[in-house]
Amino acid sequence: MTSAAAVVREFWRLMATNHFASVASVLAPSFVLEWPQSSERIRGPERFITMNVEYPAHGPWRFTINRIVEGEGDVATDVSVTDGVQHARAISFFTVAGGRITRLVEYWPEPFAARTDRSHLVEPIE
Amino acid sequence: MTSAAAVVREFWRLMATNHFASVASVLAPSFVLEWPQSSERIRGPERFITMNVEYPAHGPWRFTINRIVEGEGDVATDVSVTDGVQHARAISFFTVAGGRITRLVEYWPEPFAARTDRSHLVEPIE
């Protein structure tokens, strides 16, 4: 029995090969991806793979897992993503059943300016 | 022995009272909050409480836990936050030790426009 976290680690390992078709091996046929920030939903492994293949890139994508929270049937990851030019952070909530990812809800937080009215309480992160 | 997830649920319950000083009961003396998007770090329960008390609000804050991923010593939550006028989403990674929250790394994803070049693969989330 593969743990949910092991399935998610395999997802990121396969993503890092940049052979996105290979990622299908950890996706359920009913796989659904949701990006709530843009209200986008992608249904099925095939569309997910196509989206990754077609996404404009300046080079191979590299993924750094900053954190993984291992629940029983769900897993959260904090991953840095870059193609050498574009840099992003993906916060991903995976649902895993039967050794496959059935659902991925993903957030892409962008930098924002610190509020000045709380500067007396704050120090910068190095 | 209180589970990490129980401590985090208590954190959100206390936040929802809007009596932010009460939240100190689940924070370690060494508590640190980090917002990587703005590179802000807040050290200690006292500054964290002051920040919440001073944050401009149009009414009492309400929190809706959309999801909680329960790891052993760490917990991730996806929470909607509103004061009736301001609406935000907080993705929070908690580290818990000895029944107290020692570290909170938090992201605030904002809405973004869907890319048009993937519209053939996407449906809107209702």
Coordinates of all heavy atoms in Angstrom, one line a residue, chain B residues 8 12 16 19 25-26 37-38 64 69 74-76 80 82 89 99-100 102-103 110 116 121:
Chain B
V8 N -4.4 23.4 16.0 CA -4.6 24.3 14.9 C -6.1 24.7 14.9 O -6.5 25.8 14.6 CB -4.1 23.7 13.6 CG1 -4.6 24.5 12.4 CG2 -2.6 23.7 13.6
W12 N -7.8 28.5 15.2 CA -8.8 29.2 14.3 C -10.1 29.5 15.1 O -10.7 30.5 14.9 CB -9.1 28.3 13.1 CG -8.0 28.4 12.1 CD1 -7.3 27.3 11.6 CD2 -7.5 29.6 11.4 NE1 -6.4 27.8 10.7 CE2 -6.5 29.1 10.5 CE3 -7.8 30.9 11.5 CZ2 -5.8 30.0 9.7 CZ3 -7.1 31.8 10.7 CH2 -6.1 31.3 9.8
A16 N -11.5 33.3 15.7 CA -12.9 33.7 15.4 C -13.6 34.4 16.5 O -14.6 35.1 16.3 CB -13.6 32.4 15.0
H19 N -11.1 38.0 19.9 CA -10.3 38.4 21.1 C -8.9 37.8 20.9 O -8.6 36.7 21.4 CB -11.0 37.8 22.4 CG -12.3 38.4 22.6 ND1 -12.6 39.7 22.9 CD2 -13.6 37.8 22.5 CE1 -13.9 39.9 23.0 NE2 -14.5 38.8 22.8
S25 N -2.8 31.4 24.0 CA -2.9 30.1 24.7 C -2.4 29.0 23.9 O -2.1 27.9 24.4 CB -4.3 29.9 25.3 OG -5.2 29.6 24.2
V26 N -2.4 29.1 22.5 CA -1.9 28.0 21.7 C -0.6 28.4 21.0 O -0.2 27.6 20.1 CB -3.0 27.6 20.6 CG1 -4.2 27.0 21.3 CG2 -3.4 28.8 19.7
Q37 N 5.6 36.1 0.9 CA 5.2 36.9 -0.2 C 5.7 38.4 0.0 O 6.1 39.0 -1.0 CB 3.7 36.9 -0.5 CG 3.2 35.6 -1.0 CD 1.7 35.6 -0.9 OE1 1.2 35.2 0.2 NE2 1.0 35.9 -1.9
S38 N 5.7 38.9 1.2 CA 6.1 40.2 1.5 C 7.4 40.2 2.3 O 7.8 41.3 2.7 CB 5.0 40.9 2.3 OG 4.6 40.2 3.4
T64 N -13.5 30.7 7.7 CA -14.1 29.5 7.3 C -13.0 28.5 6.9 O -12.2 28.8 6.0 CB -15.0 29.7 6.0 OG1 -16.0 30.7 6.3 CG2 -15.7 28.4 5.6
V69 N -5.2 19.7 6.4 CA -4.4 18.6 6.2 C -3.6 18.3 7.5 O -2.8 19.2 7.9 CB -3.4 18.7 5.0 CG1 -2.6 17.5 4.8 CG2 -4.2 19.0 3.7
D74 N 3.0 18.8 11.8 CA 2.6 20.0 11.0 C 1.3 19.8 10.4 O 0.8 18.7 10.1 CB 3.7 20.3 10.0 CG 4.1 19.1 9.1 OD1 3.5 18.0 9.3 OD2 4.9 19.3 8.2
V75 N 0.7 21.0 10.2 CA -0.7 21.0 9.7 C -0.8 22.1 8.7 O -0.2 23.2 8.9 CB -1.7 21.3 10.9 CG1 -3.1 21.5 10.4 CG2 -1.6 20.2 11.9
A76 N -1.6 21.9 7.6 CA -1.8 22.9 6.6 C -3.3 23.2 6.6 O -4.1 22.3 6.7 CB -1.4 22.5 5.2
S80 N -10.9 30.8 4.4 CA -11.4 32.0 3.9 C -11.6 33.0 5.1 O -12.0 32.6 6.2 CB -12.7 31.8 3.2 OG -12.5 31.0 2.1
T82 N -12.9 37.0 6.2 CA -13.6 38.2 5.8 C -14.0 39.0 7.0 O -14.3 38.4 8.1 CB -14.8 37.8 4.9 OG1 -15.4 39.0 4.5 CG2 -15.9 37.0 5.7
R89 N -8.0 34.8 1.3 CA -7.8 33.4 1.5 C -6.4 33.2 2.1 O -5.4 33.7 1.6 CB -7.8 32.7 0.1 CG -8.0 31.2 0.3 CD -9.1 30.7 -0.7 NE -9.5 29.3 -0.5 CZ -10.5 28.8 -1.1 NH1 -11.3 29.5 -1.9 NH2 -10.8 27.5 -0.9
G99 N 2.2 20.8 22.1 CA 0.9 21.3 22.2 C 0.7 22.8 21.9 O -0.3 23.4 22.1
R100 N 1.8 23.4 21.3 CA 1.8 24.8 21.0 C 2.3 25.0 19.6 O 3.1 24.3 19.1 CB 2.7 25.6 21.9 CG 2.3 25.5 23.4 CD 1.3 26.6 23.8 NE 1.1 26.6 25.2 CZ 0.9 27.6 26.0 NH1 1.0 28.8 25.4 NH2 0.6 27.5 27.2
T102 N 4.6 26.7 17.1 CA 5.9 27.3 17.1 C 6.2 28.1 15.9 O 7.0 29.1 16.0 CB 7.1 26.2 17.3 OG1 7.0 25.3 16.1 CG2 6.9 25.4 18.6
R103 N 5.6 27.8 14.8 CA 5.9 28.5 13.5 C 4.6 28.4 12.6 O 3.9 27.4 12.6 CB 7.1 27.8 12.8 CG 7.6 28.5 11.6 CD 9.1 28.2 11.4 NE 9.6 28.9 10.3 CZ 9.9 28.4 9.1 NH1 9.7 27.1 8.9 NH2 10.3 29.1 8.1
E110 N -4.0 35.8 -4.3 CA -5.0 36.7 -4.8 C -5.6 36.2 -6.2 O -4.9 35.4 -6.9 CB -4.3 38.1 -5.1 CG -3.9 38.8 -3.9 CD -5.0 39.4 -3.1 OE1 -6.1 39.6 -3.7 OE2 -4.9 39.6 -1.9
T116 N -5.5 32.9 -21.6 CA -6.4 32.5 -22.7 C -5.9 31.4 -23.5 O -6.7 30.7 -24.2 CB -6.6 33.8 -23.6 OG1 -5.3 34.3 -24.0 CG2 -7.3 34.9 -22.8
L121 N -8.7 23.8 -22.8 CA -8.5 22.7 -21.8 C -9.3 22.9 -20.5 O -9.3 22.0 -19.7 CB -7.0 22.6 -21.5 CG -6.1 22.3 -22.7 CD1 -4.6 22.5 -22.3 CD2 -6.3 21.0 -23.3

